[in-house]
Amino acid sequence: MRMALYGASTEYVLHSLLWLVDHPGPVSSLDLAELQGIPAAFMAKQLPKLEKAGILAASEGLRGGYRLARPPAQISVLDVVDSAEGRKSLFNCQEIRGRCVLFDDTPPQWATKGVCSIHAAMLRAEQTMREELARTSLADLAASVRDKAAPAFLGEAQGWLENRVQTRRTSRVRQRRNPDTV
């Protein structure tokens, strides 16, 4: 079994943000979750992290929800990953280089001097990965999706989101007019 550095939070949040790139109005976390088959409670917990990081802006009310707080070209994948998951290290060095049985519990200075060469290689790999994630914007990801997806699908998805806003607004208006209706 392989262990992922980044988990479902990153995947769910990035996919959700892609729907907001071309959608001008706010979208509820519930609608984003339902659209993608993601647990609603999970999404409701993740999106406030992005709001706190300045990636999303939230609004309340009948047409409330989340929208991008900045243009998608100004939101890097790294911004999103660090907001959703927290900054994680690729490698956690255990300093086993000093535990060799031949050292008799007292490793010589040469064995533990400086950064472990394995740890140094992992730090370079992590830096390269972070640079790539910083270079890739939400706009880049959205353009890739637009190039890949059928235009009709993207239009249907935007229509679905807009319909949800209208349905929510109409349902709440009806509930206020007739409080006995469930």
Side-chain angles (χ1 to χ4, degrees):
M1 179 165 94
R2 294 181 349 178
M3 187 174 136
L5 174 63
Y6 299 116
S9 297
T10 295
E11 183 177 8
Y12 290 172
V13 164
L14 281 168
H15 277 282
S16 295
L17 293 178
L18 289 177
W19 291 111
L20 300 179
V21 167
D22 293 320
H23 193 78
V27 178
S28 76
S29 63
L30 178 64
D31 291 347
L32 285 170
E34 187 173 331
L35 177 64
Q36 302 173 96
I38 296 170
F42 186 81
M43 284 303 297
K45 198 165 86 174
Q46 292 301 315
L47 298 184
K49 293 179 187 178
L50 299 177
E51 181 185 7
K52 184 177 179 184
I55 294 169
L56 291 176
S59 57
E60 295 181 14
L62 294 176
R63 292 183 164 258
Y66 292 95
R67 61 176 175 71
L68 295 178
R70 309 190 300 256
Q74 294 177 13
I75 300 171
S76 75
V77 173
L78 183 62
D79 294 335
V80 176
V81 167
D82 284 348
S83 299
E85 302 264 1
R87 181 155 181 178
K88 292 183 175 182
S89 292
L90 182 62
F91 182 74
N92 184 15
C93 185
Q94 300 297 310
E95 289 293 333
I96 66 169
R97 63 188 174 153
R99 297 185 202 159
C100 178
V101 69
L102 300 177
F103 296 156
D104 219 11
D105 290 332
T106 14
Q109 183 182 10
W110 64 262
T112 58
K113 184 178 178 185
V115 175
C116 167
S117 58
I118 294 168
H119 190 189
M122 295 298 187
L123 288 172
R124 288 190 304 273
E126 179 178 346
Q127 183 61 34
T128 300
M129 180 189 70
R130 291 184 66 77
E131 287 169 2
E132 178 60 29
L133 295 177
R135 220 180 352 262
T136 305
S137 73
L138 201 53
D140 297 330
L141 293 179
S144 177
V145 170
R146 278 192 298 274
D147 290 346
K148 186 178 180 179
F153 169 75
L154 296 174
E156 287 173 26
Q158 290 301 328
W160 187 90
L161 288 169
E162 196 52 45
N163 185 45
R164 294 296 295 222
V165 170
Q166 293 300 328
T167 301
R168 239 187 355 268
R169 189 176 73 115
T170 305
S171 295
R172 289 187 179 162
V173 168
R174 283 187 192 136
Q175 286 175 358
R176 266 189 262 135
R177 283 190 201 145
N178 188 357
D180 297 332
T181 306
V182 177

